[in-house]
Amino acid sequence: MLSGIEYAVILPTIYRYLQILEAPSYFLGLGLSAFSLSGLLTGPIFGYWSDHSKTTKGIVLFSNVFEIAGNFMYFIGYSKWLLLGSRLVAGIGAGAGSSIFGFLTRTTQPEERAGIFAAIMACRQAGLLVGPAFNLFLRLCDFRLGPFVVNKYTSPGIFMCLLWVLLQFVVLAAYWDVPPLSSTEGGTAMLEMKQDESVEGEEEAPLMGPDQDQAEYTYRTVNTDLLDNSCEMHPVRKVSNPFKNFSASREFLREEVVVLLTAQFITLFNQTALETMVTPMTQRYFGFGELGNSLMYSLCGVEVILGFFFVRWLSRTVSDRAMLAVGLVICSVACIWCLIFLCEPRGGYKWELSAFIIGVFLQLLGLPFVAVSQVSLFSKVTAEKTQGFSQGVRRSVGGIATILGPLWAGGLTNNLYIMLGMMLALLAMISVMTALSYEHLTEPRPVECAHSSDSGG
């Protein structure tokens, strides 16, 4: 949620902030991309850390320190280079997202994961919705704080700095690492694979007795005598290093994984390119200032939040791959609309504004479908024990997209045909890839264990 608030309070004013610091126009793309660059580099590192430690609390507390420092640098803002550096530092903190998604994967069942991810992503959109409301009073700031000037351009930095400090205390007081499902259900699952069908009745039995200490249970190991006749499988706790026998090429170069990583890249590339284009376009064609942009982002946040909750409801009956296909169709329609009606606006102010609103609406309508489905599918087709690292790789691919997207759009705000044409070509490519790999875009079926009737099971 705070990452959404940060984005919403900084984006409407950073363009003008850079102009005041006498930065050239391409610095807008650099500033937006800098945040993604550091997150791209640190995401796999934080994910690797969480896979080894199986904890998230310490990682979140550590990463938030960089968010605090980066936003304070943004507040100081003596030069365009300090402003650029502030986004680089803050982006390091964003790398902890890989640990968070790894935690969510380890502590949720596959069938409920899409709904959980939708709710978590909606929290960020809630931040995007609340952020513009904060801008309504931040834009009124005009005073000095010691040697520092607090105005509508610097105030988002000190405001976010204080919020991230507050979050540190909230995490310390109210967050605990939950044992992964493999810890609490791994023993039961292994026994079920060993025993005959008569054991199915035990599925309803409680996993933990009322008098059993949770910490004691979490670190309990499965009796190896029970596993002598099992198939080539071992409980998670038996292997201390989750990366033993791990092969990056075997994990990430499979067809379905390549398709999902490509979908991650293209959707974020297009999204950030459009976001970069929106602020200069509204300023040029509609005369929007900070207030107008803030209200626009607020309305966009409402639509996306509703979209995520609709996808959460839909995920109960519709498969992830079907939602991915629907989302790609909607995004393609949105791109075609923008290509036709926004490249050379005609028809007067009202029609131009209406065409712009419809284009933005369609783009945001497809976003929840694609975002939730590809994250949920990715968590199911990659190994659970290395989810932190895998989610870090996924987010790094997205980070590359969020770097290239603003850079691509920042230099082409006056050449929308080229910018939108490339976006449409990328959407066509991933749509074809999804269609050709549709049968593989599903959770792998569990391996059936063959056991003889005379096994001591």
Side-chain angles (χ1 to χ4, degrees):
M1 184 175 179
L2 285 194
S3 68
I5 293 176
E6 179 176 338
Y7 190 83
V9 299
I10 286 178
L11 189 63
T13 56
I14 188 173
Y15 185 58
R16 181 60 183 151
Y17 196 2
L18 287 167
Q19 288 178 331
I20 292 173
L21 296 174
E22 300 180 349
S25 59
Y26 64 82
F27 254 72
L28 174 61
L30 288 177
L32 297 177
S33 298
F35 184 88
S36 300
L37 175 62
S38 49
L40 175 159
L41 298 174
T42 57
I45 297 173
F46 282 128
Y48 184 87
W49 180 6
S50 66
D51 286 334
H52 270 281
S53 64
K54 292 295 186 293
T55 60
T56 310
K57 184 172 185 175
I59 297 173
V60 171
L61 290 171
F62 177 72
S63 65
N64 285 352
V65 172
F66 293 96
E67 290 279 8
I68 293 168
N71 279 285
F72 188 76
M73 291 168 62
Y74 186 91
F75 163 64
I76 297 173
Y78 283 125
S79 72
K80 60 188 178 184
W81 296 108
L82 183 61
L83 198 69
L84 186 62
S86 73
R87 303 312 295 154
L88 276 170
V89 173
I92 296 175
S98 59
S99 302
I100 294 172
F101 275 100
F103 165 80
L104 291 172
T105 300
R106 289 190 293 267
T107 55
T108 57
Q109 297 285 2
E111 59 272 14
E112 66 178 350
R113 200 165 294 155
I116 296 293
F117 284 164
I120 294 297
M121 292 178 177
C123 290
R124 184 179 189 277
Q125 297 304 319
L128 291 172
L129 176 62
V130 174
F134 290 124
N135 261 342
L136 295 177
F137 73 82
L138 290 176
R139 62 192 292 270
L140 302 177
C141 293
D142 187 15
F143 59 91
R144 297 188 68 88
L145 190 65
F148 307 114
V149 176
V150 183
N151 55 35
K152 62 182 178 180
Y153 304 114
T154 62
S155 58
I158 190 63
F159 176 72
M160 288 310 307
C161 182
L162 294 175
L163 284 186
W164 286 110
V165 169
L166 177 63
L167 180 64
Q168 293 289 74
F169 292 104
V170 173
V171 172
L172 283 170
Y175 175 80
W176 296 269
D177 282 307
V178 179
L181 288 180
S182 56
S183 298
T184 58
E185 297 181 358
T188 303
M190 293 300 299
L191 291 175
E192 287 177 352
M193 294 182 69
K194 282 278 305 147
Q195 296 174 346
D196 295 323
E197 292 181 358
S198 59
V199 81
E200 291 177 2
E202 296 181 7
E203 291 180 355
E204 311 240 344
L207 295 171
M208 187 180 297
D211 298 324
Q212 187 174 1
D213 180 70
Q214 183 174 354
E216 181 183 3
Y217 186 88
T218 302
Y219 295 97
R220 187 188 67 175
T221 57
V222 178
N223 189 338
T224 55
D225 293 335
L226 295 174
L227 302 176
D228 289 339
N229 297 317
S230 66
C231 52
E232 301 291 321
M233 210 174 158
H234 304 283
V236 172
R237 291 292 177 182
K238 184 153 183 165
V239 180
S240 58
N241 181 10
F243 289 90
K244 185 178 182 180
N245 300 323
F246 175 81
S247 170
S249 60
R250 188 169 61 243
E251 183 75 356
F252 300 123
L253 294 183
R254 288 178 288 122
E255 179 179 342
E256 60 272 24
V257 177
V258 170
V259 170
L260 293 172
L261 290 177
T262 305
Q264 166 86 350
F265 176 87
I266 291 175
T267 52
L268 284 178
F269 178 89
N270 287 1
Q271 179 190 346
T272 52
L274 286 172
E275 287 173 350
T276 305
M277 174 193 75
V278 160
T279 303
M281 176 174 279
T282 56
Q283 186 180 39
R284 183 189 312 153
Y285 292 115
F286 311 120
F288 285 7
E290 291 84 6
L291 178 59
N293 283 326
S294 295
L295 292 175
M296 178 187 66
Y297 284 115
S298 180
L299 292 175
C300 290
V302 172
E303 181 190 352
V304 176
I305 289 173
L306 293 176
F308 274 116
F309 280 105
F310 177 71
V311 169
R312 175 182 171 87
W313 171 79
L314 200 63
S315 66
R316 301 171 185 172
T317 55
V318 179
S319 66
D320 292 337
R321 59 184 180 177
M323 288 194 294
L324 176 61
V326 170
L328 290 174
V329 170
I330 296 174
C331 289
S332 298
V333 172
C335 196
I336 293 171
W337 176 275
C338 293
L339 196 60
I340 295 174
F341 295 105
L342 296 185
C343 290
E344 292 184 4
R346 297 187 183 92
Y349 183 87
K350 290 183 179 180
W351 166 248
E352 292 173 6
L353 183 59
S354 299
F356 174 79
I357 291 173
I358 293 172
V360 171
F361 173 82
L362 289 174
Q363 179 65 31
L364 296 179
L365 182 63
L367 176 62
F369 287 90
V370 178
V372 173
S373 60
Q374 59 94 3
V375 175
S376 178
L377 272 173
F378 187 83
S379 72
K380 296 172 183 177
V381 301
T382 52
E384 181 179 318
K385 64 181 180 179
T386 55
Q387 270 298 299
F389 181 75
S390 295
Q391 293 291 342
V393 170
R394 180 189 65 80
R395 289 172 62 86
S396 291
V397 170
I400 296 173
T402 55
I403 291 170
L404 297 179
L407 291 176
W408 174 259
L412 292 170
T413 52
N414 295 320
N415 298 279
L416 296 184
Y417 277 117
I418 298 176
M419 188 188 82
L420 293 171
M422 173 62 78
M423 293 165 54
L424 184 58
L426 291 173
L427 281 170
M429 183 183 76
I430 186 57
S431 298
V432 171
M433 292 176 64
T434 301
L436 294 176
S437 304
Y438 193 77
E439 293 183 358
H440 298 282
L441 295 175
T442 184
E443 181 184 2
R445 294 181 180 179
V447 178
E448 295 289 340
C449 289
H451 52 84
S452 60
S453 58
D454 57 347
S455 64

